Amino acid sequence: MTDGDRDDGPAGRGHRPAPSERSGTHAAETHGRRELEGTAASPGVGIGRAYVIDPRHIHVARREIKQDEIRGEIDRFRAGVQSTHTQLEAIKNRLPHGEHRQILAAQQLMLRDPDLAARVESMIGQDGISAEWAVDRVADEIRETLSRADEEYFRERGSDIVFLAERVLVHMSGEDDGEFQPPPGSVIVAHDLSPADTAELARAGVVGIVTGVGGQTSHSAIMARSLEIPAVVGVDGILDTVQSDDAIVVDAIRGVVIVRPHADELERWQTERDRYEVFEDRVQREHGLPAIARDGTHIVLRANVALDAEISSALFHGAEGIGLYRTEYVFMDRDVPPTEDEHYRHAKAVLRRVAPYPVLFRTFDLGSDKPTRLFKFDEREHNPAMGLRSLRLALRERDTFLCQLRGLLRAAVHGPLRIMLPLVSGVSELRRAMDAVAEAKVQLEEAGLAHAQDVPIGIMVEMPSAAIVADVLAKHVDFMSIGTNDLIQYTLAIDRTNDEVGYLYRPLHPAIVRLIHRVSLAGKAAGISVSLCGEMAADPRYTWVLVGLGVRELSMHPSAIPVIKNIIRGSSLPEMEALARDVLDAEDVDEAEAMVLEVMQARFPEHLLHGGGQRLTHEQNTSASAIGGGEAEG
Ligand code: PEP
Ligand code: MG
């Protein structure tokens, strides 16, 4: 945000009317058909008329105040927070149960954060500035810090703060904060949408959402997924291309938006939308059934979850438990680490919701790439992926680690909880972590607190070193889970967050395939389970190879589960093993990819097209649809 009059920033309450309704300002330069690319954030195809929401123009009074005005400004700020809270409450109460409500509840909590309020109020008092200016500055500072994070998730939380600040500013200004009323069948087009706006719009029978910014983990993307509205986000230049009432197609399978499509094309899109809906319907119908292959092999499909808000989606999509609960988010945005009781209560609540299925809690996987204020990192740490992160940090910050372990061990009394240690490099490091687990138990005994004795302890295999010595590690743990996101990063020496080398991120590289095979064999020999919880598990192209290599549990983001399940239910183990054998024999990644794509496209063309995993490139999609007519079992 800028000081002074504001003329940019996320979308707010102003609907930009269609030309016929408009007095003339700020029309997009539009003529014929335009096609723009973005990120598919909530799958599906939406076809309708654009309803454009203009960026809001908020006046931020950059005013210095006198000593005797301080009290009044603080009161105005508090009243603005209170009305925003009440407004969010009203929106939340109009929603059905589920994760969308929890996202709004989380926003209310953020709004009520005493640290945030204290920062604004001390700025008003000490710097002698208006309440608006203080809110704007605090929001800006937080957004600025979070925007430097490597992970999209943290950058997105910066947008949440900006949205909240905007609502507070609107309430303080007394401007109209009226609700949008798009006609049913509209496609919403905006710079960005807050979760509250997204929730309100969903009620209005919106058929698609397009935003100029945002990524997969923005709250509006999560919201759109949970409300099942097709959404493409991060579409550069969308507001300059479209105006209200334009016909628009949201292809949230490929991540493309077509503005003012040709008439004949529109018909094809309608067919595409119907095909998608039939496919979705087919895979969703199986959501209560287990992923059992035709020969009877049961593959356990679980969900990866980072926010409690995602649990309902995991259950809805038929997850048999949580295969990776990323607990680092419990540590975010705070100055003191969570207490043992907080860990306990949180884990217990998660277990209750997921029962009777298990939850694998991964102990904190923080590092200097994730903006936590809790730990001090060396500023010269130029290579955080190889630096003080994850289990290494936990072993250095032993008290914080012990505290989390105690909370988890206590919660395990209430359900099937498993503890998973991230980024284990080898047996010595594992021993140090196991010593901490033993010490946490002793501490609980001394304190006389009930806890489970036999909690399964497992490791993530996400370093090449761990994969290479998996046979030894397997003797000391109860389960192993392969984290391909990091395993690929470290094995192929490519920074997973660097787009410049993204083209090298190829999961079927023979080195990766052999490491996965090695870990699976080690697990089998030791009689322990081996799962895989990297993004690779969510990609329909790789299902046969992974199962064929011996992996019997896959954990993925919830929306990918139905498609992967449908593939497994339509396949048999011998054919999956045959493909895995061929891939193991491949000499290079090109050869491996070609053979996998040929088989999977022939058998599951629609799954590859509509899969919930890593998106295929446009060319791959096009060739997948061109093959068409394959034998896609249901
Ligand atoms: C992985 O590395 O594959 C993994 C699942 O962990 P994260 O993505 O959280 O690093
Ligand atoms: Mg990892």
Side-chain angles (χ1 to χ4, degrees), residues 324 326 362 365 389 460 462 483-486 496 533-534:
L324 166 62
R326 293 180 159 106
R362 175 175 74 183
D365 187 7
R389 66 167 284 212
M460 288 193 66
E462 44 187 351
T484 43
N485 304 342
D486 276 315
R496 61 192 261 194
C533 62

Side-chain angles (χ1 to χ4, degrees), residues 126-145:
Q126 285 168 17
D127 301 354
I129 60 173
S130 66
E132 281 88 349
W133 194 2
V135 168
D136 196 40
R137 264 176 54 184
V138 168
D140 224 14
E141 282 171 15
I142 297 174
R143 190 188 47 84
E144 175 61 27
T145 313

Side-chain angles (χ1 to χ4, degrees), residues 454-503:
D454 50 357
V455 178
I457 313 281
I459 54 168
M460 288 193 66
V461 178
E462 44 187 351
M463 276 199 206
S465 61
I468 291 166
V469 298
D471 53 335
V472 196
L473 285 164
K475 292 184 196 153
H476 301 274
V477 293
D478 298 306
F479 62 90
M480 298 192 286
S481 187
I482 307 172
T484 43
N485 304 342
D486 276 315
L487 186 63
I488 295 170
Q489 151 162 280
Y490 294 125
T491 308
L492 303 183
I494 30 170
D495 179 347
R496 61 192 261 194
T497 64
N498 184 341
D499 288 343
E500 298 288 334
V501 289
Y503 72 99

Side-chain angles (χ1 to χ4, degrees), residues 223-337:
M223 202 70 133
R225 276 199 292 279
S226 118
L227 297 164
E228 295 182 18
I229 305 172
V232 178
V233 300
V235 184
D236 213 14
I238 186 68
L239 282 176
D240 299 324
T241 311
V242 68
Q243 55 189 24
S244 284
D245 239 12
D246 277 342
I248 183 166
V249 175
V250 184
D251 173 4
I253 297 165
R254 298 170 190 81
V256 174
V257 176
I258 295 117
V259 182
R260 296 176 296 278
H262 302 307
D264 54 340
E265 182 184 21
L266 212 49
E267 225 166 89
R268 270 196 291 118
W269 280 111
Q270 278 153 358
T271 313
E272 173 89 355
R273 180 190 56 198
D274 297 346
R275 260 183 57 188
Y276 177 79
E277 284 173 5
V278 168
F279 173 78
E280 269 297 293
D281 197 47
R282 179 151 58 93
V283 297
Q284 276 303 342
R285 255 185 281 136
E286 292 181 345
H287 83 111
L289 302 174
I292 295 182
R294 288 175 165 177
D295 61 290
T297 307
H298 181 190
I299 307 301
V300 177
L301 300 185
R302 298 206 169 105
N304 293 353
V305 159
L307 300 168
D308 290 352
E310 292 162 322
I311 295 175
S312 44
S313 170
L315 298 175
F316 173 77
H317 287 107
E320 295 185 60
I322 308 293
L324 166 62
Y325 193 106
R326 293 180 159 106
T327 62
E328 37 286 5
Y329 301 110
V330 180
F331 290 78
M332 242 186 73
D333 271 343
R334 41 194 307 160
D335 294 311
V336 283

Side-chain angles (χ1 to χ4, degrees), residues 162-210:
V162 172
F163 286 132
L164 287 172
E166 292 203 330
R167 282 201 178 238
V168 172
L169 286 171
V170 170
H171 281 287
M172 283 196 298
S173 73
E175 276 175 34
D176 172 29
D177 198 25
E179 290 161 13
F180 303 117
Q181 290 184 326
S186 299
V187 169
I188 301 300
V189 179
H191 174 73
D192 200 0
L193 281 176
S194 74
D197 287 338
T198 315
E200 285 295 85
L201 292 168
R203 291 195 317 134
V206 161
V207 297
I209 292 174
V210 183

Side-chain angles (χ1 to χ4, degrees), residues 318-390:
E320 295 185 60
I322 308 293
L324 166 62
Y325 193 106
R326 293 180 159 106
T327 62
E328 37 286 5
Y329 301 110
V330 180
F331 290 78
M332 242 186 73
D333 271 343
R334 41 194 307 160
D335 294 311
V336 283
T339 61
E340 177 188 317
D341 262 355
E342 280 178 75
H343 285 300
Y344 164 68
R345 282 197 306 272
H346 173 250
K348 181 177 158 187
V350 173
L351 283 169
R352 285 240 161 105
R353 289 182 65 192
V354 181
Y357 297 115
V359 182
L360 281 74
F361 284 93
R362 175 175 74 183
T363 57
F364 64 87
D365 187 7
L366 293 160
S368 64
D369 56 331
K370 294 178 184 155
T372 164
R373 303 193 290 276
L374 296 176
F375 308 114
K376 280 231 161 326
F377 297 100
D378 187 338
E379 299 211 331
R380 288 162 306 173
E381 186 161 61
H382 293 305
N383 206 340
M386 300 207 185
L388 184 63
R389 66 167 284 212
S390 200

Side-chain angles (χ1 to χ4, degrees), residues 24-35:
T25 56
H26 197 144
E29 279 307 314
T30 56
H31 301 289
R33 178 188 189 280
R34 290 289 304 277
E35 188 169 322

